[in-house]
Amino acid sequence: MQLRVFPPLAGVLGLALLLLCIGPASAQLFETKAAQAFMIDADTGTVLFSKDADKPIQPASMAKLMTMEVVFNAIKSGRLTLDDTFVVSENAWRTGGAPSGTSTMFAKLKSAVRIEDLIQGVTVQAANDGCIVLAEGMAGSEGNFAAQMTERARQIGLAKSTFVNSTGLPADGQQTSVRELAMLALHLWRDYPDLYRYYGLKDFTWNKISQRNRNPLLAMDIGADGLAVGSSEVSGFGIVGSVSHNGVRVIAAMSGLASDKERAEEARKLLEWGARSFEKTEIFAKDEVVGQAQVFGGAKAGVTLKAKGPIAIFLPVANRDKLRASIVYDGPVAAPVEEGQPVGALRVWIGDTLSQETPLFAAESIGVGTLPQRALDAVKELAVGWLR
């Protein structure tokens, strides 16, 4: 069985977009100085931009997003409350506190700190001491907690992210990708709406020391409310940001930038472009036929396909000719075919980025054909099957 691409009639869409045509990939609609970048629409998960998104990178302080996921999950499940307290150990104080010279909330040695305050220290100040206090308090040691981070990453679908500590400080074996950072941010926004709000706080004061949020996007008045920044010698400057504009929320992750100034500017440009340059359009209603797949040995030569519900895509406001789509399936599909049987998918590209993939199902049942019909299909496969 080979991959089949079947282009249904573009006129069905009523859109002059070259939609559902097969052609060479187009260039990106947006250019960025980031070595790696990935952006999605938060409501649907549609990919709006992708550049080397799966390359392994060192997450640096952006690893704290996974630390917070483990903490948020414990709160949501009732294993922790915001009023619980953990004690600041000497290890947390020396490794991530005032003596460390790294980002810190200046938690006092041996003091008891509420979970909510530790969360604000991490989300606003990127506090390394706050991360280690949480890790030790929840798992006994930072190493045990890092193992929980990696395990939890797998549970939520992050296949490549591996964590060695809770802070993102340099460590062998610690890696992620901008795609998985963006998907982690989306998960935080969707699953923990009451806790996600901490990422949008402009400042936080602890131990009589007030610090502004380290995320430069929050000061730009572009609708940003999160999430994290980081930098390492190997991967350069990175950022995970989220912007909401006129009811559209986009989430982006970037890495490989040259400076904190370049990081802030490139993130602003990408997020603003994403929030303003697309419009959601329904192209197929619920139960509307999307196209057809070839059937082998069936009473009919083809089976009509539809999605489980309506299909909406994000159209570029400009450069709509850069959007293309096709139905992809393994075929021909062997008879019998049952109504509702998974058959393939509608794939939509924006430029050279695979933007979304919608599963398609048989809209009808097709029985096994007569002996002459099956024989004819066999002859056709022998004649042209090798061309696929």
Side-chain angles (χ1 to χ4, degrees), residues 88-111 127-130 132-133 169 207 209 211:
V88 181
S89 69
E90 183 168 349
N91 175 59
W93 179 70
R94 289 192 180 279
T95 305
S100 70
T102 64
S103 54
T104 176
M105 62 185 290
F106 297 100
K108 291 182 179 180
L109 177 63
K110 297 183 180 179
S111 64
N128 290 323
D129 49 354
I132 299 171
V133 171
L169 291 171
N207 197 16
I209 300 172
Q211 298 183 68

Side-chain angles (χ1 to χ4, degrees), residues 62-69 181 184 188 199 227-228 240:
M62 294 180 290
K64 294 179 173 73
L65 293 176
M66 195 68 230
T67 298
M68 287 295 94
E69 200 289 328
L181 284 172
L184 174 56
L188 291 171
Y199 285 106
L227 286 114
V240 181

